[in-house]
Amino acid sequence: MVPSVLFEVMLIGLLGIGSQWLAWHYRMPAIVLMSITGLLAGPVFGFINPEEDFGDLYKPIISVAVAIILFEGSLNLSFKEIRGLGRPVFRIATYGAFLAWILGSLTAHYIAGLSWAVAFVIGGLFIVTGPTVIMPLLRQSKLKPRPAKILKWEGIIVDPIGALLAVFAFEIIAYLTANEPNGASLVLFFGASIFAAILGWACGKGMGWMFETGHIPEFLKSPAVFIVVIFCFTLADEIMHETGLLAVTAMGMTLANMGISSVEDMRHFKENISILLISAIFIMLTASLQVETLLQIFDPNIIGYVVLMMFVVRPLSIFLSTIKTDLSLNEKILLGWIAPRGIVALTVSGYFATILSEAGYEDASIITTLTFGLVFFTVVAHGFSIGWFAEKLHLSVEGKPGTLIVGSNTFTIELAKSLKKAKAPVLLVDSSWERLRKAREAGIPFYHGEMLSEQTEYHLDTVPYEYLVAATEYHSYNALVCTTFMPEYGRTNVFKVSPYHDIGNTMDDIVDKIGGRILFGGKASLETLNDKIRDGFVFRQTNISSRYPYKQYLEEKDENAILLYSIKPSGQVKYFSEEMKVNPEPGDTVVSLTPPVKENRRIQERLENQRTTTTNQKDADPQ
């Protein structure tokens, strides 16, 4: 056991974020590592038991964290994002959820051996996937936009629906089995659900109005949103258990569709908080499980139930609910397979296990075991298979990591040519059709549009590209593009051309302090790079090997050459910049912008050969 609760809080955070980092470093499913870490720290080795150690605070902490995570997820649900996908999303979240509830309840009764009452409660709960498990999976896999958006929308929308279905099933059961049936509880349930939705909408509208009118200062906006989310969740949940999830989802969707710039500014901050909470909650929930619960998972009835839920109930509900939609067969197969259960299922199942046991249903004692069995098996199976499965179905973005270049000019066109020659994906973006003319003639993939416009956000697929290079002639615009996309691409993957000029400029010094990393050591401005291209400089590839190491290459290269990037055999690109030290290893290829010394030498040799040939022919001719 740990020496104190404070130490346990620190350990939970360390284990959660450590699991996330290991998952990122080794390209593994984060939710799988977090689950295994929690099990090892809790029931296996007995280091921590958060439920026991935190006492009465345990459940409120979990509930508030789930509310914030669900709100953050719903904050991304802009209706503009699902243009053309509205019908499949609606069907999956309604018809699909209903079919999954009925089929899951039948499976729970006939396979897991639960009574009808408990089966219908647990069947409603198990339709949820949720942002706590879907978002990490989408981050690790490179799904194409259509299936990724459908999975995200389904996970967030169905989360509160599943909890409400479970509550509804319980209220129906309580009504039907009562000695003197009273419809007041059912009326309260429906009234509380409507109130929760209205409350969430009102809180979202209210916060949006206060942001737009300046009634909340910038430094208080994020704290104010957090408090209102907790208020919204708690007020609805106190009236009727689990309606709080519906309230925060309605609040997030309302704010997401108001088009408020302040919400965009807060979104990335909330994503970071959400990742921290997901990491901590997964560790807490799995570490609080009992050894008996883990052993019960291997009961044949529970394993049979889990297998049918994964391989029959989910695929059947997806295929039936998406009939006559424009989803392809491969998309239906992928959606029918990917349905991991997560935090909401684990937390809400504990609540129903208690109230059903108190109501006299003895089989409710295995709800926690059944829930964890489904959560763990789906998390492991879907976490490890989503990338491979999507690739086999041609629904993943294949190929090497690509580069998105903003700005079409002489240098960027040649840069794109060199990346294309190295078989690295590249896309050139510019708002001017005329500036893109040479790119079109050179056969370079391009996108005609303003990089910072809302239309580009919804029409440009940025998934295949891990690097962004801003190389327009406007340095402040380059900095703005880098700042905008830094949260999406990461600080180390966003670059801009040097804002420095030979004559110096104080405004450029200011621009230098914001935005992405400066390319090529900062000595080569866009004007300099374009001039070098016009002067005949060429893009040269040099293979680094054990016989010709990088150190020797630096010693022998032309002093006027500019190092651009190195590329590994895997296709990973490393751009040379002031802030990042690049050390190419044997097997890597270094690409540089080099004076045409070798080319001039070859031309000179060719001319000499032609002169020699001509002279020899003249000498051989008879006089």
Side-chain angles (χ1 to χ4, degrees):
M1 297 294 290
V2 294
S4 67
V5 175
L6 177 61
F7 188 89
E8 185 168 344
V9 171
M10 177 277 297
L11 185 60
I12 288 170
L14 187 64
L15 292 175
I17 298 302
S19 299
Q20 291 269 15
W21 182 83
L22 286 173
W24 166 80
H25 186 72
Y26 292 104
R27 296 182 178 273
M28 296 177 65
I31 49 179
V32 175
L33 279 184
M34 288 187 290
S35 300
I36 294 174
T37 302
L39 291 175
L40 292 175
V44 176
F45 293 112
F47 293 141
I48 57 175
N49 188 337
E51 185 174 14
E52 181 181 305
D53 298 335
F54 292 169
D56 293 339
L57 288 176
Y58 176 77
K59 289 184 179 179
I61 290 173
I62 298 290
S63 297
V64 169
V66 170
I68 292 172
I69 292 167
L70 193 56
F71 169 76
E72 188 277 325
S74 61
L75 205 60
N76 294 308
L77 298 183
S78 173
F79 293 124
K80 295 177 182 178
E81 186 183 84
I82 57 168
R83 287 172 181 167
L85 294 176
R87 192 177 184 186
V89 168
F90 174 78
R91 286 199 170 194
I92 290 173
T94 53
Y95 304 144
F98 180 76
L99 287 170
W101 178 32
I102 300 301
L103 294 174
S105 301
L106 294 173
T107 306
H109 175 71
Y110 287 109
I111 303 300
L114 298 178
S115 63
W116 283 113
V118 178
F120 270 93
V121 171
I122 209 69
L125 179 60
F126 284 169
I127 70 170
V128 304
T129 52
T132 61
V133 283
I134 286 297
M135 295 306 186
L137 286 186
L138 294 181
R139 273 194 293 269
Q140 85 175 60
S141 61
K142 292 185 176 182
L143 283 184
K144 290 184 177 179
R146 275 173 59 94
K149 289 177 182 178
I150 292 173
L151 284 171
K152 181 180 76 172
W153 274 77
E154 181 206 5
I156 296 170
I157 293 175
V158 175
D159 234 23
I161 292 177
L164 289 176
L165 271 180
V167 176
F168 173 69
F170 177 75
E171 294 296 337
I172 289 288
I173 292 164
Y175 174 78
L176 295 176
T177 57
N179 293 328
E180 296 180 3
N182 185 355
S185 60
L186 289 177
V187 174
L188 176 61
F189 168 76
F190 288 112
S193 300
I194 295 172
F195 170 77
I198 295 174
L199 175 65
W201 173 83
C203 288
K205 281 290 185 181
M207 292 302 295
W209 176 79
M210 295 184 76
F211 286 171
E212 287 182 314
T213 54
H215 283 79
I216 300 179
E218 289 295 327
F219 73 95
L220 278 182
K221 284 183 177 179
S222 291
V225 168
F226 273 116
I227 293 302
V228 174
V229 168
I230 296 172
F231 162 80
C232 183
F233 171 79
T234 304
L235 183 59
D237 215 57
E238 287 295 316
I239 296 174
M240 175 63 69
H241 203 66
E242 305 310 329
T243 58
L245 298 177
L246 177 62
V248 295
T249 303
M251 178 180 172
M253 290 183 66
T254 302
L255 277 171
N257 290 280
M258 291 181 69
I260 304 171
S261 59
S262 298
V263 174
E264 294 294 327
D265 297 337
M266 290 188 299
R267 180 172 287 137
H268 299 298
F269 170 71
K270 294 190 179 303
E271 285 177 356
N272 295 334
I273 295 297
S274 180
I275 290 173
L276 178 62
L277 291 175
I278 289 172
S279 305
I281 298 308
F282 251 104
I283 298 295
M284 290 174 63
L285 288 171
T286 52
S288 298
L289 293 170
Q290 302 298 318
V291 176
E292 294 77 12
T293 301
L294 299 181
L295 295 177
Q296 283 182 327
I297 290 175
F298 299 100
D299 182 277
N301 289 343
I302 292 179
I303 292 178
Y305 171 77
V306 171
V307 169
L308 284 177
M309 287 291 289
M310 293 172 62
F311 291 96
V312 177
V313 173
R314 170 66 178 185
L316 199 56
S317 63
I318 291 295
F319 272 84
L320 291 177
S321 63
T322 55
I323 292 174
K324 294 185 179 180
T325 64
D326 61 348
L327 293 181
S328 67
L329 177 61
N330 284 356
E331 287 174 331
K332 291 179 181 180
I333 292 173
L334 180 69
L335 296 175
W337 170 241
I338 301 300
R341 276 62 169 188
I343 289 176
V344 171
L346 281 173
T347 54
V348 179
S349 67
Y351 164 75
F352 283 110
T354 301
I355 63 171
L356 286 169
S357 296
E358 292 175 352
Y361 296 96
E362 296 180 0
D363 53 342
S365 60
I366 70 166
I367 286 181
T368 302
T369 302
L370 199 65
T371 304
F372 181 74
L374 186 62
V375 168
F376 185 75
F377 284 119
T378 55
V379 161
V380 172
H382 300 151
F384 279 111
S385 67
I386 184 171
W388 175 86
F389 203 54
E391 184 177 346
K392 292 299 180 182
L393 293 172
H394 305 292
L395 293 175
S396 65
V397 179
E398 302 174 356
K400 301 176 181 179
T403 299
L404 194 66
I405 303 175
V406 182
S408 179
N409 49 64
T410 304
F411 169 72
T412 57
I413 290 173
E414 294 301 320
L415 176 64
K417 284 182 182 179
S418 74
L419 289 167
K420 188 178 178 182
K421 183 179 178 181
K423 297 182 179 179
V426 63
L427 184 71
L428 203 58
V429 180
D430 201 294
S431 59
S432 170
W433 189 254
E434 176 60 29
R435 285 196 295 266
L436 286 170
R437 179 174 58 84
K438 290 185 178 179
R440 299 195 303 273
E441 293 172 352
I444 297 170
F446 67 91
Y447 176 84
H448 178 227
E450 169 54 54
M451 190 63 193
L452 297 177
S453 76
E454 188 177 6
Q455 293 299 318
T456 299
E457 179 181 354
Y458 294 114
H459 290 95
L460 177 61
D461 179 16
T462 60
V463 175
Y465 310 102
E466 291 190 7
Y467 315 100
L468 183 142
V469 172
T472 72
E473 59 184 343
Y474 304 105
H475 304 308
S476 56
Y477 179 79
N478 294 338
L480 182 59
V481 168
C482 291
T483 303
T484 302
F485 288 92
M486 193 177 293
E488 179 178 343
Y489 286 89
R491 187 174 297 274
T492 59
N493 289 0
V494 176
F495 303 92
K496 63 184 178 184
V497 291
S498 173
Y500 298 118
H501 294 283
D502 295 336
I503 59 174
N505 191 316
T506 55
M507 285 301 293
D508 290 338
D509 292 339
I510 295 173
V511 170
D512 176 45
K513 307 237 178 349
I514 59 176
R517 299 174 185 270
I518 297 178
L519 285 169
F520 320 136
K523 297 180 181 179
S525 66
L526 182 62
E527 293 85 348
T528 302
L529 294 168
N530 283 330
D531 288 342
K532 289 185 181 298
I533 298 294
R534 296 188 188 99
D535 291 340
F537 276 54
V538 295
F539 282 75
R540 178 166 292 128
Q541 294 185 351
T542 305
N543 296 323
I544 304 300
S545 64
S546 55
R547 293 186 177 182
Y548 189 64
Y550 180 59
K551 183 178 181 181
Q552 182 180 350
Y553 167 75
L554 291 178
E555 293 172 353
E556 297 180 0
K557 75 176 182 66
D558 191 289
E559 62 179 6
N560 294 316
I562 298 175
L563 299 179
L564 302 177
Y565 61 89
S566 71
I567 184 165
K568 293 186 173 295
S570 64
Q572 184 181 14
V573 178
K574 293 287 185 181
Y575 286 94
F576 288 91
S577 70
E578 282 186 335
E579 299 90 345
M580 292 177 63
K581 189 175 182 180
V582 178
N583 290 311
E585 301 173 346
D588 296 353
T589 300
V590 175
V591 179
S592 59
L593 187 60
T594 309
V597 178
K598 292 182 180 179
E599 285 71 14
N600 290 340
R601 188 183 299 120
R602 292 194 191 108
I603 294 172
Q604 189 67 33
E605 290 175 355
R606 192 180 303 116
L607 292 173
E608 289 293 336
N609 290 335
Q610 289 177 352
R611 291 194 194 98
T612 301
T613 302
T614 302
T615 302
N616 292 337
Q617 288 177 347
K618 288 181 178 179
D619 293 339
D621 288 340
Q623 296 296 327

